[in-house]
Amino acid sequence: MPKLTMVEAINLALHQEMAKDDRLIVLGEDVGIDGGVFRVTDNLLAKFGADRVVDTPLAEAGIIGMAVGMALVGLRPIAEMQFCGFSYYIIPQLEEHASRFRSRTHGQRTCPLVIRIPYGGGVRALEHHSESREAMFALIPGVKVAIPSGPRTARALLLGAIRDPDPVIFMEPKVSYRAFREEVPENEELIELGTAQLVSEGSDLTIISWGSMLPRSRKAVEAVQKRRGCSVDLIDLLSIKPMDTEMITRSIKKTGRCLIVQESQLSFSVGSELIARIHDHAFYFLEAPIRRISGYDVVTPYFGREQLYIPSQSRIERGLEELLDQPL
Amino acid sequence: MPLRDLVTFSIQELSVLDQTGTVDPTLEPQIGRKGLLKLYRAMCLARQADDRRLKLQRQGRIGTFPPTTGQEAAVCGPVFAMSPEDWYAIAFRDLGGQLLRGQSLVQDLLYYGGYEEGNVDVSSYLRNLPTAIPIASQCLHAVGIGYAIKYRKIHHKAVVCCFGDGATSEGAFHEALNFAGVWQLPIVFVCQNNQWAISTPLAKQTRSETIAQKAIAYGIHGIRADGNDVLAMVQVTRNALDRAYAGQGPTLVEALTYRLRMHSTADDPTKYRSEDEVHEWEKRDPIARYRTYLQNKGVLTDEIEQRLVDDIQLEIDSAVKQFESIRDFKADAPFDHIYGQRYPEIEAQREEFLKNLAMEKADAKVDHG
């Protein structure tokens, strides 16, 4: 199996899917000759031509409104936003139309489209290039939100998003774009939305994480395991919405302790929703209050300070140990 | 380097039928007798249905709706010029056009009666988008559809996209015109300039002398028509569609018209505009002048008129009756259509909803003995 970066893995998924299905159109700012600002769409233009790899004028709302129209008549648009911070212009089209056509027409018209959005901090970028706003998108009924954690899940989850019948926000942790390589099988691998993955199995505690925080959660688990020989269920959430509540519940019932690790703000976050669900489904199995290692409720700071604010491996390790040590 | 004129432009306006119903024979579009009457019927049906809808709304039998009275030519003319193969993307003041496109009055009553069922396209060609309430948002959908038509290399197919003058202040309108211009998409943008966006007059909406000239900025064709002259509306749309079919790109058509009633049944227009202004525009009624034209042409006799009036009355009565007889709306339908697949988190909520509903029904029975 070849070892790929996340950028290469997403690129592979796009190449393979576009070759199979001429309804797929990639569109966005600089996705053509430039291959996208992160080169995720590299070489697609050469392979599939300018009709299918569309450099659009600079208007995010326009791109998504156009994608809605394309999806309504049977195309399968895959739109790219350059950064999460510029994607707020698309909220009206998402809330007013992409999310609603199915229910508005009782299923007669649907909006299967994918919106790829690089998100999160850690790359020393300018203002508006470092937010983690998955909860904002997840708030909209009718929209789905998926976040891969590494090259292999990125490829498989993107396939799941492309073949999904509904609008999917596909958020890519840009700090992981080229940070590490993973073996990605040449043959098709697909993760359906709504399914999480158990990365490691244990009995003392459950960690739920996703996207940029998954790799460092894994490292934290390994470090703590080495020090004190505990065993941990590490869940890679992958699909923020719909959420694999079943896997989460099963794990908490087994371990009784839960640590949530997220990059986004603390309040009104995916972590908040996870706590509510665990409360609904596994409250009597809890042996300690659920802990969150999270970003703070502040405006994402400029990159000079960003590493102070993004949950670090040592912060996760401390949270993990404190939770393990908490008496029943 | 001297200061010189780099680009100059002008905007044309088309008028075929004047206020008195006198036609300019050199500009008269070719329409057969049957077509002329079909158009007349659609305009009259929209007007009569508006009267009935207003009564139904005042009686609480339907909800708030935006009346279309006064704009029948601007709404129906473009649709009459369309082929069934074309796509129709509307805002919300397009009743006559929707009916011409094969939608039924029952659908309209269902929609304004509060049920999504009204949005299901019942026409045989299935190329009508449902009512779009967020202003100008549908202009971008037209771009996506136009792109798809071009991508699939389908000839003789285009999109007609309608919106009001207020929409021309929205970003979506400008982005749509810009995108459509860049790719030369087969789209006819029809602005029904009724001169009022609720209480905001056109002069406070834009400093432009015409809306048609906004096309110039995007390098696309722009033209104004007398929007109360249905023949002019048919002709400009035909020309614009021909350009679209021929791969000559989009057109912005400004239809200068007037909303004779309130924006929606929730506002009182006497608060923001003078009665004199309304009376002035009543004199330019699109139906009256078209009726005169048809009479002069010998197409519309008293006998045909009477038959048409009776027929329309019957259609409206029967639509209202049918609408009010439909009462088996599936309570949990919103849970059916939120996603393409079923998910446990949604199904659990459906179950709870149905349980609550059953308990409330049981309670109501107890309360009323």
Side-chain angles (χ1 to χ4, degrees), chain A residues 79 86 128 205:
Chain A
F86 306 142
H128 307 296
L205 185 143

Side-chain angles (χ1 to χ4, degrees), chain B residues 12-15 223-228 232-233 236 253-256:
Chain B
Q12 291 187 309
E13 180 175 39
L14 180 70
S15 164
I223 185 165
R224 182 150 100 177
D226 179 346
N228 281 8
M233 286 309 300
V236 287
V253 173
E254 173 187 0
L256 185 67

Side-chain angles (χ1 to χ4, degrees), chain B residues 32 39 146 173 176 222 261 325:
Chain B
L39 193 47
F173 163 79
R261 283 190 169 139
S325 73

Side-chain angles (χ1 to χ4, degrees), chain B residues 239-255:
Chain B
N239 296 346
L241 281 170
D242 284 344
R243 294 169 52 82
Y245 296 151
Q248 290 165 1
T251 302
L252 172 62
V253 173
E254 173 187 0

Side-chain angles (χ1 to χ4, degrees), chain A residues 61 64-65 68 87-100 104 137 140, chain B residues 134 137 141 170 172:
Chain A
I64 302 309
V68 167
S87 65
Y88 310 127
Y89 275 127
I90 75 172
I91 299 280
Q93 281 290 340
L94 270 184
E95 164 64 41
E96 293 162 359
H97 294 296
S99 63
R100 286 168 178 259
R104 175 181 288 154
F137 294 112
I140 305 172
Chain B
S137 58
H141 307 162
E170 290 278 7

